[in-house]
Amino acid sequence: MFPLRDHNPSGRTPYVVYLLIAANILAYLLYYDLDNDPRRLMQFYQAYAIIPAEISRGEDSITLLTSVFIHGGLMHLGGNMLFLWIFGDNLEDEMGHLPFLAFYLASGIGAGLIHVWAAPTSVVPTIGASGAIAGVMGGYLLLFPRARVDILLILIVFFRIITIPASLMLGIWLALQIFGGIGSDPDQGGVAYWAHAGGFGIGLMLCLPLWLKRGGSAFWSHNHGLPPKPPTEYTYSSSRIPRLPRKKKSPGPWGK
């Protein structure tokens, strides 16, 4: 499942979401050419990525923040920014610009600390905004569980766009992180499953005061779990692949 967009319009321009996306892209442009120099790339990660063993010793705690703006490639960067684009604008709308920025950074730092807790002796560098964006997803689930999300469903060679509730899409995503964390060794690197799951939980908890301020379960009852604004409606139409005329075969030198 790959989310494409939600049907949840925001009432204000998400300036902080724009700023965060621009900051992540700019940061990537500053170091992307290091892929051709493994030694310099490792030095860069040593300086700015989370290394749990060092954090456990009380060293380089600033990397809990700097690592949130570092990605391991275009797919890593693009996927994270897409999730931020889809789910971040509505939280910024509900929280306000500066509170949302603080929420995003707190979720990212908290997710990093949970990864350190899961792998306290690991010396494998950990990077990415996934923990912070997982916090955004957790907050989104609490506030808009029945908001509709369009996802691209891929089953081997079958591709189709379907619309499902945010609670289903985000619940499946969280379950995958938990099962991935149970079945992997965080000391060996790879996907930081516990940072994702932990960031999700932190974002949900940080949004609790806002949810209670909105009325708690009464906020859901008033809108039946849907966004407070009328959902965006999208129209779908099938596309036709134009047929090219077949080229007539040449009769050859003995043909008429």
Side-chain angles (χ1 to χ4, degrees):
M1 297 190 303
F2 197 74
L4 300 176
R5 61 191 177 191
D6 65 355
H7 293 243
N8 191 354
S10 57
R12 71 176 85 188
T13 303
Y15 292 114
V16 173
V17 170
Y18 294 160
L19 175 65
L20 289 170
I21 291 175
N24 279 275
I25 293 174
L26 178 60
Y28 180 74
L29 292 175
L30 293 176
Y31 65 82
Y32 82 99
D33 61 329
L34 295 181
D35 287 339
N36 300 319
D37 189 337
R39 184 182 61 83
R40 291 179 59 206
L41 181 62
M42 183 52 64
Q43 290 176 343
F44 178 81
Y45 285 158
Q46 289 284 342
Y48 298 107
I50 291 175
I51 300 178
E54 295 181 358
I55 300 294
S56 299
R57 296 195 298 266
E59 302 172 1
D60 293 331
S61 57
I62 189 62
T63 58
L64 292 167
L65 177 61
T66 57
S67 63
V68 175
F69 295 92
I70 302 174
H71 291 84
L74 284 175
M75 291 298 293
H76 190 199
L77 172 66
N80 276 343
M81 294 304 100
L82 176 62
F83 275 72
L84 177 58
W85 172 264
I86 293 173
F87 300 111
D89 61 328
N90 299 110
L91 285 192
E92 184 174 347
D93 189 15
E94 292 293 326
M95 294 180 177
H97 302 303
L98 292 180
F100 173 73
L101 177 60
F103 165 85
Y104 178 89
L105 296 177
S107 296
I109 293 171
L113 287 172
I114 289 177
H115 176 65
V116 172
W117 168 80
T121 61
S122 174
V123 294
V124 179
T126 301
I127 56 176
S130 303
I133 294 167
V136 172
M137 295 162 67
Y140 191 101
L141 175 63
L142 180 63
L143 294 178
F144 313 110
R146 292 188 61 195
R148 293 184 295 165
V149 180
D150 290 346
I151 64 169
L152 176 62
L153 183 63
I154 304 175
L155 297 174
I156 306 177
V157 296
F158 176 79
F159 298 82
R160 186 169 182 178
I161 296 175
I162 62 174
T163 303
I164 62 175
S167 57
L168 178 59
M169 183 260 162
L170 297 175
I172 292 174
W173 183 90
L174 178 60
L176 290 173
Q177 308 314 305
I178 293 174
F179 285 122
I182 293 173
S184 65
D185 182 359
D187 285 322
Q188 300 302 314
V191 178
Y193 290 108
W194 291 120
H196 296 175
F200 192 99
I202 289 171
L204 194 151
M205 289 188 294
L206 289 177
C207 270
L208 273 175
L210 176 62
W211 179 66
L212 294 172
K213 183 179 179 181
R214 294 287 190 270
S217 59
F219 178 69
W220 287 343
S221 300
H222 180 69
N223 299 305
H224 305 288
L226 294 170
K229 303 179 181 65
T232 305
E233 296 295 339
Y234 300 105
T235 58
Y236 301 95
S237 60
S238 59
S239 60
R240 294 181 178 178
I241 300 176
R243 292 184 177 180
L244 297 177
R246 292 185 178 181
K247 186 177 181 180
K248 292 182 178 181
K249 291 183 179 181
S250 173
W254 294 279
K256 293 183 179 180

